[in-house]
Amino acid sequence: MKRFLPWIIGIGLLLIVAFWVMGLKNTALKYNQAVGKEWGNVDAAYQRRNDLIGNLVNTVKGAADFEKSTLTAVIEARAKATAVTVDPTNISPEQLTQFQQAQSGVSSSLSRLLVSVERYPELKANSNFLKLQDELASTENQILTARTRFNESVEVYNGYVLGLPQSFFLGSYKEKPFFKSVEGADKPVEVKF
């Protein structure tokens, strides 16, 4: 029995290391899935906004003799934003920047639309328009919450995958980028009538 003891100890240690590495990979997989789920929530919040924009544009069109250029800008920005897709399993800083730029275009054109609406008192009193405006405000809050949760899940994932000793065994798991504010977001928005 004594001559098999080194073999038994060696096999035992090998099994312990194998199960430890499997645990590392399973935990990394769990965090990666959490990042993917949170990105899905971000995407869903933006999709909700895009869906509401169509209703808002149609309501504004029907209630006011409106500037076509503003409506066209909103519609085009919405189309560009829905054309940009991001794969959450292989998200890159470039993809995230492209996505943010497209969504920034929507935000910008939408705020121009809402500022221009101030010139139409009958539209401001329209209950459908007011409801859509409230829905958009609620959706913007949902987008903020979804982006915050995405960044929190990226922080946990990156902390785990890049930490030692996990980084030695998790080479196939790459660092994921955070959702950052668009350039110029630190300056206050100027509203002109």
Side-chain angles (χ1 to χ4, degrees):
M1 185 71 181
K2 284 188 175 184
R3 68 180 184 170
F4 292 117
L5 190 60
W7 284 99
I8 293 172
I9 291 173
I11 290 172
L13 286 174
L14 209 64
L15 284 173
I16 290 171
V17 169
F19 282 118
W20 179 71
V21 170
M22 284 189 332
L24 289 177
K25 292 211 179 247
N26 287 338
T27 303
L29 179 65
K30 178 180 85 172
Y31 291 147
N32 190 35
Q33 292 296 311
V35 169
K37 177 189 132 220
E38 293 303 336
W39 179 256
N41 292 341
V42 169
D43 213 20
Y46 277 116
Q47 182 61 50
R48 181 171 189 253
R49 178 173 76 171
N50 287 333
D51 293 345
L52 285 171
I53 288 171
N55 293 334
L56 183 69
V57 166
N58 289 334
T59 302
V60 171
K61 243 192 244 181
D65 179 20
F66 206 71
E67 303 166 18
K68 287 191 183 246
S69 63
T70 304
L71 288 174
T72 304
V74 171
I75 292 166
E76 287 174 358
R78 178 178 169 231
K80 285 179 189 172
T82 55
V84 176
T85 57
V86 174
D87 176 14
T89 59
N90 197 18
I91 194 168
S92 70
E94 294 79 24
Q95 285 178 322
L96 202 54
T97 300
Q98 185 182 17
F99 181 84
Q100 285 179 276
Q101 286 172 343
Q103 294 302 330
S104 176
V106 173
S107 297
S108 174
S109 61
L110 191 57
S111 54
R112 282 195 307 274
L113 172 71
L114 293 176
V115 166
S116 299
V117 161
E118 292 295 322
R119 292 186 234 150
Y120 296 91
E122 70 279 359
L123 184 59
K124 288 193 294 184
N126 182 315
S127 63
N128 287 339
F129 178 77
L130 293 174
K131 184 177 177 197
L132 283 169
Q133 214 173 3
D134 287 344
E135 286 291 321
L136 272 173
S138 168
T139 299
E140 292 298 326
N141 286 334
Q142 287 178 358
I143 289 170
L144 173 64
T145 301
R147 288 191 301 206
T148 302
R149 288 183 179 153
F150 172 77
N151 280 346
E152 288 169 353
S153 67
V154 167
E155 178 185 26
V156 170
Y157 169 85
N158 286 346
Y160 185 78
V161 170
L162 300 174
L164 289 175
Q166 300 91 292
S167 60
F168 294 124
F169 300 98
L170 301 173
S172 62
Y173 290 87
K174 303 295 179 209
E175 180 178 10
K176 296 194 183 291
F178 287 97
F179 215 112
K180 296 179 184 158
S181 63
V182 293
E183 196 171 314
D186 56 337
K187 296 177 180 72
V189 177
E190 186 177 325
V191 178
K192 295 180 184 176
F193 295 104

